Amino acid sequence: MKINKENNVYTVIYAAVLVIVVGFALALVYQALRPAQLENIANDTKKQILAAALIYPTSEESIGELYSSHIKDSYCVDSKGAKVEGDALDINMATEVKKPADERILPVFVCTTDKGEKYIVPVAGAGLWGPIWGYIAMNADGKTIYGAYFSHQGETPGLGAEIERPAFSSQFEGKSIFGSNGQFESVLVVKKGQEPAGRAYVNAVSGGTITSQGVQKMLFTSLEPYTAFFKNLEKESNKE
C-alpha cells in the first residue's frame, strides 16, 4: 500500500516519531554528560572554598587533589554549635538562610594552611540583580577573618560585580566579627568617608551601593547563626 505523505495523519505521525527519537537521543546525551557536569560543579565549589583560605591551584594541580590535601574535615553544626547530620558540600546555603536561625544546618570546612588551621563557612544573600554568595575563612581563634571569597550571578560589570575581585575581598582579612564586648557584630561595608568608629568595616564597591549593602546583610545573616560555633573555637584556642 502506498503511503500518502501529503496526508495530515502521516504528518502528525512523522512529527510524533521524530520528537520521540530526538527526545530519546537528547536524554541519552544528557545522561552521558551528567557525571562530568556534576564533577565540574563540585570542583567549582571546591575551588571557591579554597579561594576563601587564599589557596589557588597552579597549572599543574587539579582542584580535587588540592582540595583533598588541604580540606582535612567537613561537617555540619546547628545554631548551638553542636555537630548534626549532613554533608557539608551538599548543603544549599541559599536555602538555609531563608530558615529561622535555630533551624539551619550550617556547613563547616576545616582547612590546613601554612599559617595554621582555618574554618571555612559559606554565606549567601541577594545583590542588586540576583543572588550573591561566598565563603569566609576564620582563624582558629573563632574571631578574626583569615580570607574571603565572593561571587554573584548577575551584578553589573565594573560596579557591583567588583565584589568578586581581590581588591574587595582582601579587605576582610584580619577583621574581627565580634565587638570589644564579645558580641557578634559582623563586618560593615561602607562608603569611603563614612567609616564608623569602633567597628570592623571595609570600603564598599565604588558605584555598587546596593550590591555592597547586600554583602553586608549577607555576612550578618549568614554568620550570626555560627556564633556559638565560633565561641567554641575561641574556647579551644584559649586552652592551647
Side-chain angles (χ1 to χ4, degrees):
M1 183 178 69
K2 185 177 181 180
I3 299 176
N4 183 5
K5 295 184 178 181
E6 296 182 359
N7 186 284
N8 289 338
V9 174
Y10 171 84
T11 302
V12 171
I13 294 175
Y14 179 82
V17 171
L18 184 62
V19 168
I20 292 172
V21 171
V22 171
F24 182 72
L26 290 175
L28 288 177
V29 172
Y30 174 81
Q31 290 298 325
L33 295 178
R34 186 59 176 165
Q37 292 174 337
L38 292 175
E39 183 179 1
N40 288 338
I41 292 171
N43 282 338
D44 185 56
T45 299
K46 292 175 180 179
K47 184 177 180 180
Q48 294 179 27
I49 292 170
L50 292 171
L54 311 181
I55 298 171
Y56 308 97
T58 65
S59 58
E60 300 176 351
E61 295 175 305
S62 73
I63 293 297
E65 293 174 341
L66 192 63
Y67 183 87
S68 296
S69 66
H70 286 281
I71 304 301
K72 296 304 182 181
D73 195 10
S74 64
Y75 48 82
C76 296
V77 299
D78 59 20
S79 61
K80 296 180 181 179
K83 289 186 178 181
V84 296
E85 292 293 325
D87 187 327
L89 274 174
D90 289 340
I91 302 301
N92 187 328
M93 196 61 178
T95 299
E96 294 302 314
V97 295
K98 296 177 182 178
K99 301 177 183 178
D102 59 357
E103 295 180 10
R104 297 182 197 174
I105 299 175
L106 308 169
V108 177
F109 302 89
V110 184
C111 181
T112 57
T113 73
D114 56 2
K115 295 185 178 180
E117 205 164 66
K118 311 302 174 186
Y119 295 81
I120 306 170
V121 300
V123 295
L128 174 60
W129 301 113
I132 56 176
W133 64 89
Y135 291 89
I136 301 296
M138 299 295 297
N139 284 308
D141 63 4
K143 296 187 296 185
T144 55
I145 295 175
Y146 175 71
Y149 170 87
F150 301 110
S151 191
H152 63 92
Q153 180 172 295
E155 299 307 288
T156 307
L159 299 176
E162 294 299 299
I163 64 170
E164 66 183 1
R165 304 293 184 186
F168 176 72
S169 60
S170 63
Q171 296 182 85
F172 289 84
E173 296 170 21
K175 302 295 183 182
S176 175
I177 61 174
F178 290 94
S180 57
N181 60 357
Q183 295 297 309
F184 174 79
E185 291 184 344
S186 190
V187 178
L188 299 179
V189 183
V190 300
K191 292 182 178 180
K192 289 184 178 180
Q194 298 182 4
E195 294 85 354
R199 286 288 302 274
Y201 70 88
V202 300
N203 290 128
V205 172
S206 179
T209 300
I210 295 179
T211 306
S212 297
Q213 292 173 347
V215 171
Q216 176 177 291
K217 182 178 180 180
M218 172 178 71
L219 291 174
F220 191 95
T221 302
S222 299
L223 296 179
E224 186 181 29
Y226 282 96
T227 298
F229 173 74
F230 292 145
K231 288 292 186 179
N232 288 340
L233 291 181
E234 182 181 9
K235 291 178 183 177
E236 291 300 317
S237 178
N238 290 336
K239 290 179 182 180
E240 298 177 357

